[in-house]
Amino acid sequence: DSGVTQTPKHLITATGQRVTLRCSPRSGDLSVYWYQQSLDQGLQFLIQYYNGEERAKGNILERFSAQQFPDLHSELNLSSLELGDSALYFCASSFSAGLNTEAFFGQGTRLTVV
Amino acid sequence: QQQVKQSPQSLIVQKGGISIINCAYENTAFDYFPWYQQFPGKGPALLIAIRPDVSEKKEGRFTISFNKSAKQFSLHIMDSQPGDSATYFCAASRDDKIIFGKGTRLHILP
């Protein structure tokens, strides 16, 4: 168990809908990272928050947004969902700010868009 | 275009053998090269990582070899065990960017 908690584990929703994925980082970690894993694109970095502020941005679509709250938990909001958004979404956390440090992954949320 | 090319896509090794997975990167600004292990239904877990100031790092049965001039690095798993059967991802990162390889599905025959 990495200590990173993601909810829900599974989510099935229809095209056009909006969902929110939640992540609680390991105790003491200040950084939260969001990743998308799909068969065709592999594992891709979406966005990072550090101590409440957006710090780095990867291949995140404009329909997607995230935030980190004062208690350091984070939410990833996916809107106007398309079939191609079906994927595993992982959250990771670390104490340090950079992407070039050890990070601990949660078990993921499997999103299915039908 | 920044990529991390990982090979092979899949690998079958006999128990007790050596598993070798290779990665190549393009951007010389990357300064952290981790390997992640992922079991079905689980998130990736950091296995071992290296920075470009050393050419090799060993942790137990796992070794990273790093060739800075060739922009290549590899993971060696010595005495491979059935429990090592998983998908392995390499990555190259810097402070504000990380790119993963496409993964290698490793199967260790008992």
Side-chain angles (χ1 to χ4, degrees):
Chain A
D1 183 6
S2 66
V4 178
T5 303
Q6 289 188 247
T7 57
K9 285 189 170 46
H10 302 276
L11 199 50
I12 302 175
T13 189
T15 55
Q17 295 299 303
R18 172 188 166 95
V19 297
T20 298
L21 313 183
R22 183 187 167 100
C23 170
S24 294
R26 292 188 322 157
S27 177
D29 283 356
L30 301 176
S31 276
V32 169
Y33 314 84
W34 286 99
Y35 294 88
Q36 181 194 59
Q37 186 175 38
S38 62
L39 280 174
D40 53 343
Q41 297 290 331
L43 194 56
Q44 289 197 97
F45 166 65
L46 296 179
I47 195 165
Q48 177 205 0
Y49 279 79
Y50 177 75
N51 205 19
E53 300 289 326
E54 182 185 306
R55 191 178 184 280
K57 220 166 184 176
N59 300 324
I60 189 166
L61 299 173
E62 284 193 12
R63 300 183 285 109
F64 297 0
S65 65
Q67 54 184 328
Q68 186 179 29
F69 295 87
D71 66 353
L72 301 177
H73 91 271
S74 178
E75 292 181 354
L76 178 67
N77 301 295
L78 314 176
S79 61
S80 303
L81 284 167
E82 302 174 359
L83 295 177
D85 297 326
S86 295
L88 271 167
Y89 290 85
F90 288 104
C91 164
S93 76
S94 71
F95 177 75
S96 302
L99 278 156
N100 50 358
T101 55
E102 181 177 11
F104 297 85
F105 280 73
Q107 300 231 21
T109 293
R110 182 175 293 279
L111 173 67
T112 303
V113 182
V114 297
Chain B
Q1 187 175 355
Q2 298 186 26
Q3 292 184 65
V4 174
K5 294 181 180 177
Q6 183 172 344
S7 63
Q9 280 188 312
S10 62
L11 182 61
I12 300 174
V13 176
Q14 290 282 351
K15 179 182 174 183
I18 303 173
S19 303
I20 302 174
I21 305 171
N22 301 298
C23 282
Y25 63 98
E26 298 175 349
N27 189 336
T28 55
F30 291 137
D31 60 4
Y32 182 70
F33 301 88
W35 284 92
Y36 284 89
Q37 180 189 56
Q38 186 177 25
F39 293 104
K42 303 290 186 183
L46 180 67
L47 197 59
I48 187 172
I50 198 167
R51 296 195 186 272
D53 52 343
V54 296
S55 59
E56 187 173 281
K57 183 174 181 180
K58 184 174 180 178
E59 289 183 2
R61 296 185 295 110
F62 303 94
T63 300
I64 298 180
S65 297
F66 186 82
N67 185 328
K68 189 174 179 179
S69 60
K71 293 187 281 187
Q72 295 175 348
F73 58 110
S74 59
L75 174 69
H76 295 234
I77 306 175
M78 311 300 286
D79 187 27
S80 299
Q81 298 298 311
D84 297 329
S85 297
T87 300
Y88 293 79
F89 295 92
C90 64
S93 67
R94 64 182 197 213
D95 180 67
D96 62 347
K97 194 175 192 74
I98 184 165
I99 300 178
F100 290 86
K102 292 291 188 186
T104 296
R105 296 184 75 168
L106 174 64
H107 182 63
I108 308 300
L109 296 172

